Amino acid sequence: YLDPNGKIILTTPHPSAARLHALGASTGIFSREADEEHGKFFDRKLLEELVLSWGLKILLYEKFQFGLNQVVVMEHDHAKSIQAV
């Protein structure tokens, strides 16, 4: 459940980090458990498609840590809710 005025903040590795992520986990630099949790890497386009399918909209999308990670801030798409009524 998301409050009508609530926001979701999501961080995830960018697909460009997949090989580095796996290498770091295999050598113990990164957590092996974290590597196993990231079974799929999402690019911006796929994140946008998912967010829209959830009836949300993106307020902010940014890459950070040299483009290896990304953050998305989402909220309800109130315009869609009004149109659907």
Side-chain angles (χ1 to χ4, degrees), residues 40-77:
K40 182 170 179 82
F41 288 80
F42 299 88
D43 62 12
R44 183 177 184 156
K45 183 179 181 213
L46 183 53
L47 285 170
E48 288 173 346
E49 290 171 2
L50 288 170
V51 168
L52 290 174
S53 74
W54 299 333
L56 303 172
K57 67 179 178 180
I58 294 176
L59 298 176
L60 172 77
Y61 173 90
E62 286 186 11
K63 290 183 188 177
F64 63 100
Q65 292 182 327
F66 308 105
L68 299 176
N69 288 290
Q70 53 198 344
V71 61
V72 182
V73 179
M74 303 163 266
E75 72 176 3
H76 285 288
D77 188 346

Side-chain angles (χ1 to χ4, degrees), residues 15-46:
S16 63
R19 295 177 101 185
L20 181 60
H21 201 272
L23 177 64
S26 70
T27 60
I29 295 171
F30 306 137
S31 162
R32 287 185 173 90
E33 292 81 14
D35 184 51
E36 293 169 2
E37 291 174 358
H38 295 292
K40 182 170 179 82
F41 288 80
F42 299 88
D43 62 12
R44 183 177 184 156
K45 183 179 181 213
L46 183 53

Side-chain angles (χ1 to χ4, degrees), residues 79-85:
K80 271 192 163 180
S81 299
I82 294 169
Q83 292 173 359
V85 173

